[in-house]
């Protein structure tokens, strides 16, 4: 079974600063996808960024980038130039050849003025 | 276009009652997923549909939980004889397909918060 671990239950960052959220996972598979989802108070899960395991290049989406270390089974999210609207729960998720997403327990991020 | 919608937004029910939660996926999405998010926990997969069929029901926590999908569109998650431990946010998602090796983004609805008193 695949497990996803987020070791930081809560984090705080000042506006315009950079923050990194950690995620590790455990799998015996070679082909899979990794995701970071954002869940604001509205409860709507929003896909922030995804990474295919076969790609060595780290994915980036504007202010969001990942550090994917396949051998270490690590997948961290870096948010640059943090904005107040980035305040939310962030979930790391894993998907292999199946269809269901396996989620970590989340990191609550607070961006302060 | 319209996203995934769920109803009701919030539901409070008494222990022992049955509840039905509804999910309207994005038009044209053949795959539909139900997840449960308990307080302080990540999302737990419950069931997925490919069309009207549910190939995998292994995530359903007990036989009090059932789900159906009709016309390849709307899905209903039913919880019978609700218990306090059923209190959670139930999230629905849809995607173009659930094909194994191909990635299709899952789009989530806003969820239904169920409170069992």
């Amino acid at each position: 079974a695949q497990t996803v671990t987020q070791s930081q239950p809560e984090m705080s960052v000042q506006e315009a600063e950079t923050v990194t959220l950690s995620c590790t996972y455990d799998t015996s598979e070679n082909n899979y996808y990794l995701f970071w989802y954002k869940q604001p108070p509205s409860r709507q899960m929003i896909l922030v960024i995804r990474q295919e395991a076969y790609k060595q290049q780290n994915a980036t989406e504007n202010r969001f980038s990942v550090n994917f270390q396949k051998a270490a089974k690590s997948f961290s999210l870096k948010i640059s130039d943090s904005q107040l609207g980035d305040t939310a729960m962030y979930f790391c998720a894993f998907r292999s050849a199946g269809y269901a997403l396996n989620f970590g327990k989340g990191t609550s991020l607070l961006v302060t003025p | 276009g319209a996203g995934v919608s769920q109803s009701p937004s919030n539901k409070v029910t008494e222990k022992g009652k049955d509840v039905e939660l509804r999910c309207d996926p994005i038009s044209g999405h053949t795959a539909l997923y139900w997840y449960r998010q308990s307080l302080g926990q990540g999302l737990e997969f419950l069931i997925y549909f490919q069309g009207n069929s549910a190939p995998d029901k292994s995530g359903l926590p007990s036989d009090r939980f059932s789900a159906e999908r009709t016309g390849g569109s709307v899905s209903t998650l039913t919880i019978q004889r609700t218990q306090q431990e059923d209190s959670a946010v139930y999230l629905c998602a849809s995607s173009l397909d659930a094909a194994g090796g191909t990635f299709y983004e899952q789009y989530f609805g806003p969820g239904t918060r169920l409170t069992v008193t």
Side-chain angles (χ1 to χ4, degrees):
Chain A
Q2 294 94 2
T3 58
V4 178
T5 302
Q6 295 179 248
S7 58
Q8 305 151 315
E10 296 179 350
M11 292 197 71
S12 179
V13 63
Q14 282 194 315
E15 204 173 1
E17 297 295 309
T18 295
V19 63
T20 299
L21 309 183
S22 300
C23 173
T24 59
Y25 59 95
D26 186 25
T27 184
S28 58
E29 305 200 25
N30 193 46
N31 295 318
Y32 50 87
Y33 299 92
L34 293 162
F35 309 89
W36 279 98
Y37 278 88
K38 170 184 177 181
Q39 187 181 41
S42 67
R43 295 199 308 246
Q44 191 99 30
M45 295 286 284
I46 302 164
L47 179 63
V48 174
I49 197 166
R50 74 170 189 262
Q51 174 82 42
E52 291 88 342
Y54 64 87
K55 291 186 177 179
Q56 293 186 344
Q57 186 173 6
N58 289 324
T60 62
E61 286 288 343
N62 301 313
R63 298 184 294 108
F64 299 88
S65 62
V66 298
N67 183 2
F68 173 47
Q69 301 290 327
K70 191 173 183 180
K73 295 180 182 176
S74 171
F75 183 62
S76 61
L77 174 70
K78 185 172 80 172
I79 306 175
S80 303
D81 186 26
S82 297
Q83 301 176 0
L84 296 178
D86 294 333
T87 292
M89 283 291 292
Y90 286 82
F91 291 95
C92 179
F94 171 101
R95 175 182 178 266
S96 61
Y99 36 77
L101 294 167
N102 292 293
F103 287 87
K105 292 187 177 182
T107 296
S108 177
L109 177 67
L110 175 65
V111 181
T112 59
Chain B
V4 178
S5 61
Q6 293 186 246
S7 60
S9 178
N10 293 282
K11 175 72 175 179
V12 179
T13 190
E14 292 181 352
K15 178 181 174 181
K17 300 279 189 179
D18 298 351
V19 295
E20 286 189 352
L21 311 180
R22 176 186 169 109
C23 173
D24 281 274
I26 293 173
S27 178
H29 281 190
T30 57
L32 186 147
Y33 316 78
W34 284 98
Y35 294 87
R36 178 170 71 174
Q37 184 177 22
S38 302
L39 185 63
Q41 302 293 316
L43 276 72
E44 170 192 13
F45 168 75
L46 298 179
I47 188 172
Y48 102 98
F49 289 89
Q50 183 62 41
N52 292 333
S53 301
D56 185 358
K57 303 179 182 179
S58 62
L60 294 177
S62 76
D63 58 8
R64 296 185 295 103
F65 287 71
S66 64
E68 65 175 13
R69 189 180 185 193
T70 56
S73 182
V74 172
S75 177
T76 303
L77 177 68
T78 301
I79 309 173
Q80 296 178 311
R81 304 181 304 280
T82 52
Q83 304 294 313
Q84 287 187 329
E85 60 262 29
D86 298 334
S87 295
V89 174
Y90 290 82
L91 290 158
C92 174
S94 71
S95 71
L96 280 173
D97 204 337
T102 303
F103 169 73
Y104 292 103
E105 181 178 345
Q106 293 185 20
Y107 293 85
F108 284 81
T112 294
R113 181 180 298 280
L114 175 66
T115 303
V116 182
T117 62

